[in-house]
Amino acid sequence: MKEYHLGIEATLEILGGKWKGLIICNLMSGKKRTSELQRSIPGISQKVLIQQLRELERDGMIGRQVYNQMPPKVEYYITEYGTTANGIIDVMCSWGRANIAIRQQQGEEVMLLENNPDDE
């Protein structure tokens, strides 16, 4: 039996790490192919992306649609269960924007590259 001391442990088990939140955030706008996800997440390797996608799929957060064609085509999407994380992702994005603004006010050279906060 798996035991958690705090609920956040269960959350971080599924959403924790550098890439999973970014993957989910990107999929919130609709289905994406692996190559589209990789282009939209600078710095992630294909190997790590595939690993993270498999883990999110295993945990029921995302689904995978495989098309029987040549060359093979695979699209990933947020599942109904995965959409339950929207609130968490939105709060994390808002907190991140506020954190960047505070750090800028304190003189730190940090910049947010997103074009539109409503895209998150």
Side-chain angles (χ1 to χ4, degrees):
M1 174 199 287
K2 189 166 229 170
E3 294 181 353
Y4 300 100
H5 296 281
L6 297 171
I8 194 168
E9 290 176 276
T11 303
L12 290 174
E13 184 173 35
I14 294 175
L15 297 178
K18 184 175 180 178
W19 306 112
K20 289 182 180 178
L22 294 171
I23 292 167
I24 290 171
C25 191
N26 275 280
L27 290 175
M28 284 182 182
S29 62
K31 290 182 177 182
K32 301 259 187 316
R33 295 182 70 172
T34 309
S35 58
E36 291 176 282
L37 285 168
Q38 190 168 7
R39 280 192 302 273
S40 66
I41 305 173
I44 192 170
S45 69
Q46 185 174 17
K47 177 185 175 187
V48 170
L49 175 60
I50 298 294
Q51 177 187 4
Q52 299 291 283
L53 288 167
R54 285 182 183 150
E55 290 176 13
L56 287 166
E57 186 179 7
R58 178 199 67 211
D59 292 331
M61 299 298 289
I62 66 170
R64 180 172 59 132
Q65 173 71 47
V66 179
Y67 297 90
N68 190 15
Q69 67 182 50
M70 287 307 276
K73 179 180 173 182
V74 176
E75 289 182 327
Y76 292 91
Y77 59 91
I78 293 287
T79 62
E80 186 176 336
Y81 175 62
T83 62
T84 64
N86 285 359
I88 295 168
I89 300 296
D90 288 344
V91 168
M92 290 172 67
C93 291
S94 295
W95 188 88
R97 285 191 296 273
N99 174 268
I100 288 169
I102 289 168
R103 292 163 59 193
Q104 288 171 334
Q105 290 171 355
Q106 293 173 344
E108 187 175 342
E109 291 187 25
V110 60
M111 181 174 32
L112 182 60
L113 298 176
E114 72 180 348
N115 292 329
N116 183 353
D118 296 331
D119 288 346
E120 293 186 1

